[in-house]
Amino acid sequence: IMEYYEKLVVGFSDYRKAPTDPSVPMKCLVYGGALAHYTGDAAMPLHTTRDYDGRNQPDGSVRQKGIHAKLDGFPEKNGITPEEVCRGLEAKKIDDVWAHVTKFIAESHTHVPKCYELDAAGAFAKATDESRAFVLARVRAGAQLTLDLWYTAWLR
């Protein structure tokens, strides 16, 4: 996240210096897109743990294997739309990007138990109001982080 944030800062700086150079907006799109990938990953709680696709058991087996794909595919499978994700989001400047990102990842990690609870109840395989609200909140958190980092990179 930090690497692509810094690259995006440079890309935006290059754009200000050479706004007619066609390679510069492409550079910004690549860096901004890569950054968005990683911020989205950070919002997905299972990406913050070694038990990202099931919990390893003492006997070597894995309980709830496949949870990762169920959660990653949930928004598309259950009709979560870009409009729903972005509704009401507003860009905010981040003063300390490193601290903000590490706090975000730590907060995302607190949702790991809820992921396993919802999966055990079958709520990722067959959406419930609770699982849909949970996933939408995580996706919105990732979108907000992305927006704030893009905006802060632009300001910087």
Side-chain angles (χ1 to χ4, degrees):
I1 291 171
M2 292 304 298
E3 178 181 347
Y4 280 101
Y5 165 75
E6 293 293 340
K7 286 181 177 188
L8 187 57
V9 168
V10 172
F12 285 157
S13 175
D14 290 348
Y15 178 77
R16 286 184 175 92
K17 292 173 192 165
T20 59
D21 180 342
S23 69
V24 175
M26 296 311 295
K27 180 178 12 177
C28 293
L29 286 171
V30 168
Y31 296 155
L35 178 58
H37 174 92
Y38 291 117
T39 53
D41 279 354
M44 203 278 222
L46 296 179
H47 288 165
T48 69
T49 179
R50 68 180 180 178
D51 292 334
Y52 65 91
D53 192 32
R55 290 198 166 144
N56 293 316
Q57 302 299 299
D59 67 0
S61 66
V62 179
R63 193 174 76 228
Q64 292 178 264
K65 183 143 182 72
I67 184 176
H68 189 271
K70 287 185 245 179
L71 186 48
D72 264 357
F74 189 98
E76 183 178 22
K77 181 180 175 191
N78 292 285
I80 293 177
T81 66
E83 294 78 16
E84 198 176 7
V85 171
C86 297
R87 189 174 298 124
L89 298 185
E90 293 184 21
K92 298 177 201 79
K93 181 179 181 277
I94 301 169
D95 292 323
D96 183 337
V97 173
W98 175 256
H100 187 84
V101 168
T102 55
K103 182 179 176 185
F104 183 91
I105 294 169
E107 191 278 332
S108 185
H109 183 73
T110 68
H111 299 285
V112 170
K114 188 67 169 178
C115 292
Y116 279 98
E117 175 189 317
L118 289 168
D119 181 58
F124 291 146
K126 184 173 187 214
T128 64
D129 289 344
E130 183 182 14
S131 63
R132 193 175 197 289
F134 174 78
V135 173
L136 178 59
R138 295 314 309 150
V139 173
R140 284 180 54 83
Q144 184 69 60
L145 178 61
T146 304
L147 175 61
D148 294 345
L149 286 171
W150 285 352
Y151 179 66
T152 302
W154 177 256
L155 293 176
R156 188 167 154 211

